[in-house]
Amino acid sequence: MKQIIAGILAHVDAGKTTLSEALLYSSGSIKKIGRVDNGDTFLDTDAMEKKRGITIFSKQAELQFGDTKMTLLDTPGHVDFSAEMERTLQVLDYAVLVVSGPAGVQSHTETVWRLLQRYDIPVFIFVNKMDIGDCNKEDIMSGITERFGSECVDFSAEKNDTFFENIAVCDEEVLEKYMDGGNIDDDDIRKLISERKLFPCYFGSALKLDGVGEIL
């Protein structure tokens, strides 16, 4: 069985604790999803966290999905507690960077991205709260690639030629293989992600469990 440590990171109010709860629920680790605004989340147990509705201390929980056992770390998103968040980066195998759909990439999101780059951590991006307001997926994706690079690829899109072309251009060897008429297989994709040459992006709503199964 594979064992990994994954951190959930974000700008404050992007919904990372809600995503953590949704991942735990979808994997069968908890039987009920708590809500930050109700103060009954599985992870935010400190009285001050419940009162303020934010994560102050990093928390961990275990989940199992398929043949993977994951230690999930929910980290503070508020800039005042960045030091607590940064301490967790030293132990991560992977990170899920949560972006708010209505707000897009925010200043602290970029700070977290630079820290993940410094610590050489592979990243998955989850664009949350797509059910709120008038979120335009194409505009959000454009903002992500503008800030973080064309290596960010929409994995919730149709798996057509354009999808594989977007992946192929992330690496010369994979591009050459693709141009020669070969397929891009799962092993190629895994390798690109682990080498930080490819950053899969998913869209959904953690509160409504939309897109949570896909990112798992």
Side-chain angles (χ1 to χ4, degrees), residues 95-208:
V96 177
L97 180 62
V98 185
V99 175
S100 167
V105 175
Q106 297 167 277
S107 58
H108 191 57
T109 319
E110 294 185 278
T111 299
V112 174
W113 178 265
R114 288 193 294 270
L115 286 170
L116 292 167
Q117 187 177 38
R118 181 192 303 172
Y119 285 90
D120 199 31
I121 299 169
V123 181
F124 295 81
I125 296 173
F126 184 78
V127 182
N128 193 25
K129 302 185 178 184
M130 289 297 292
D131 57 321
I132 298 176
D134 193 18
C135 295
N136 185 291
K137 181 180 174 182
E138 287 71 27
D139 289 345
I140 296 168
M141 195 67 223
S142 178
I144 289 172
T145 55
E146 182 179 330
R147 266 25 183 274
F148 300 150
S150 59
E151 298 85 2
C152 299
V153 175
D154 181 7
F155 267 56
S156 63
E158 182 183 354
K159 304 302 185 285
N160 53 22
D161 289 344
T162 301
F163 171 76
F164 290 107
E165 286 170 8
N166 289 337
I167 293 175
V169 296
C170 294
D171 180 79
E172 287 187 11
E173 288 185 12
V174 174
L175 178 60
E176 185 176 342
K177 174 183 174 181
Y178 182 73
M179 294 296 289
D180 286 342
N183 295 319
I184 300 176
D185 57 33
D186 288 347
D187 286 338
D188 292 325
I189 292 173
R190 290 190 189 99
K191 187 171 184 289
L192 291 176
I193 294 169
S194 66
E195 293 176 351
R196 282 184 50 88
K197 294 180 178 179
L198 173 65
F199 305 98
C201 299
Y202 296 86
F203 291 76
S205 168
L207 191 60
K208 295 186 176 180

Side-chain angles (χ1 to χ4, degrees), residues 52-112:
R52 296 184 62 179
I54 61 172
T55 300
I56 298 174
F57 307 104
S58 296
K59 307 293 192 320
Q60 72 176 52
E62 303 286 338
L63 69 84
Q64 185 172 327
F65 189 79
D67 64 347
T68 300
K69 184 177 181 181
M70 185 186 304
T71 300
L72 195 67
L73 299 182
D74 182 26
T75 65
H78 199 286
V79 66
D80 290 348
F81 308 107
S82 293
E84 175 75 11
M85 176 272 294
E86 188 171 352
R87 274 193 289 270
T88 67
L89 300 185
Q90 300 173 47
V91 301
L92 297 185
D93 298 309
Y94 293 91
V96 177
L97 180 62
V98 185
V99 175
S100 167
V105 175
Q106 297 167 277
S107 58
H108 191 57
T109 319
E110 294 185 278
T111 299
V112 174

